[in-house]
Amino acid sequence: MGSQVIWLPVLIHYLPPDILGLWYVFVSIGGLVELMDSGFTPTLSHCMTYAWSGAADLKKHGVSFSSEKSEPNYALVCGMLATCRRLYFAIALAATLLMATLGTVYIQRIAAEYLSW
């Protein structure tokens, strides 16, 4: 999102209005992909913080800590990292498939006169 603020003056100056409109479509589609995150990032961040601060177990409602010295629960951290990898790989795969199929059809439809296929 921040890079769009930097690129926008350059794009407005050098691109014709119709191609600039297509650029906005690409930026909007990229924003929709971010919506697929569905708030996983804050939840995973909280859970990772609990695991790093020594949580013995993560529960649906609350966290259980061991009564002994609080050091990172490395097994829980590794499990969280593996879960994050699987989750974000699934999101990336779904976004790629969606953009490769429906996104391509959509872009071909709205930019038919500019594309020479």
Side-chain angles (χ1 to χ4, degrees), residues 41-60:
T41 302
T43 302
L44 292 173
S45 297
H46 290 158
C47 291
M48 187 62 76
T49 302
Y50 288 137
W52 195 254
S53 64
D57 190 23
L58 299 174
K59 299 179 180 180
K60 184 175 181 180

Side-chain angles (χ1 to χ4, degrees), residues 27-109:
V27 170
S28 298
I29 290 172
L32 290 174
V33 170
E34 289 181 25
L35 288 176
M36 293 179 73
D37 183 8
S38 300
F40 290 123
T41 302
T43 302
L44 292 173
S45 297
H46 290 158
C47 291
M48 187 62 76
T49 302
Y50 288 137
W52 195 254
S53 64
D57 190 23
L58 299 174
K59 299 179 180 180
K60 184 175 181 180
H61 296 288
V63 179
S64 64
F65 287 94
S66 61
S67 59
E68 54 195 53
K69 184 180 175 188
S70 184
E71 54 187 50
N73 185 345
Y74 293 111
L76 190 55
V77 169
C78 289
M80 289 285 302
L81 287 175
T83 301
C84 290
R85 283 187 194 114
R86 285 193 302 265
L87 177 67
Y88 284 108
F89 178 76
I91 290 172
L93 186 63
T96 300
L97 292 175
L98 187 66
M99 292 300 130
T101 56
L102 298 176
T104 301
V105 171
Y106 178 68
I107 294 299
Q108 285 177 344
R109 186 171 153 243

